[in-house]
Amino acid sequence: MTTFALVPLSKLRVTQGALRERTDGRLDVEGARLRAIVPGTNTTSRAELRFSLRGSSSEQRALQSGEQRQQVGLKLRARDGCNVLYVMWRFAPKADVVVNYKRNPDQHHSSDCGNRGYVTVRPFRRSAVSAPSKGEEHALRAELAGVTLRVWADDSLVWEGDLPPEALALDGPVGLRSDNVRLTLQLRVPPP
């Protein structure tokens, strides 16, 4: 079992959206989009996100693909906005845990690549998940060991699969992402 340490707001680099720190160290997300990374975490492929869903964001923004989703997730190996591995817990329109990576080796900003380069990874084991209950604490944890990625939702293994070489070739820090939801959260990574 991996030990995790809380990442304070001062250690996060928010690249889109905003986070507000509470007195207890938890972070609030209010807006339609949040993207953030933890610089200096390139050597880990483990992270945990503890969160409470507080509802939908007042503004709802479609993804660049045009899809309307409510979701939160972890970034692993997030080199930049065009090259990143995602572990997403989708709430709406359909609850699911999805692993995909975005790879555009010669592009580095979301404005360069848009929604090009996404590949969904198929697991060899998966379990159904429900949308998180509003107001209750939930956890999403991902651990990459060798080529095998395992994902837990609320301490239940819900996704397990081998990543292809293109996903394993990505290099960058861990982080988090949310779309169209208001959350209170804590990001945790292995201590240095």
Side-chain angles (χ1 to χ4, degrees), residues 12-191:
L12 281 164
R13 182 163 53 107
V14 177
T15 57
Q16 189 173 14
L19 285 167
R20 184 178 55 84
E21 191 166 23
R22 292 179 170 213
T23 55
D24 63 4
R26 294 183 302 157
L27 306 171
D28 284 338
V29 178
E30 300 293 333
R33 286 201 177 133
L34 174 75
R35 309 289 186 269
I37 59 168
V38 186
T41 56
N42 294 45
T43 59
T44 188
S45 289
R46 294 175 168 82
E48 179 181 67
L49 186 62
R50 293 192 168 275
F51 66 92
S52 296
L53 176 65
R54 292 186 289 112
S56 302
S57 57
S58 57
E59 177 192 5
Q60 295 287 296
R61 291 171 64 185
L63 304 179
Q64 287 185 329
S65 66
E67 290 185 60
Q68 188 70 43
R69 273 196 211 126
Q70 293 182 346
Q71 61 185 357
V72 68
L74 294 164
K75 293 179 172 189
L76 301 175
R77 300 180 174 216
R79 183 174 97 190
D80 50 46
C82 294
N83 299 277
V84 57
L85 173 64
Y86 287 112
V87 176
M88 300 302 297
W89 189 341
R90 295 180 179 168
F91 310 158
K94 180 183 175 213
D96 199 4
V97 168
V98 176
V99 172
N100 54 30
Y101 63 94
K102 187 177 184 183
R103 189 163 184 271
N104 299 278
D106 298 326
Q107 296 175 317
H108 305 289
H109 302 284
S110 291
S111 58
D112 299 333
C113 60
N115 68 339
R116 291 184 303 279
Y118 276 105
V119 176
T120 299
V121 181
R122 303 222 181 276
F124 51 75
R125 181 185 315 170
R126 98 178 308 149
S127 301
V129 297
S130 300
S133 301
K134 193 172 168 182
E136 295 180 11
E137 185 171 277
H138 298 277
L140 178 67
R141 186 172 88 239
E143 297 191 13
L144 178 61
V147 300
T148 304
L149 179 67
R150 291 178 182 87
V151 180
W152 291 263
D154 293 336
D155 296 322
S156 293
L157 182 64
V158 296
W159 195 101
E160 184 175 20
D162 290 343
L163 298 180
E166 296 81 22
L168 294 167
L170 295 168
D171 182 34
V174 300
L176 63 107
R177 166 186 179 155
S178 72
D179 294 285
N180 298 313
V181 288
R182 292 182 304 114
L183 304 162
T184 298
L185 59 84
Q186 294 177 318
L187 179 62
R188 299 170 181 263
V189 298

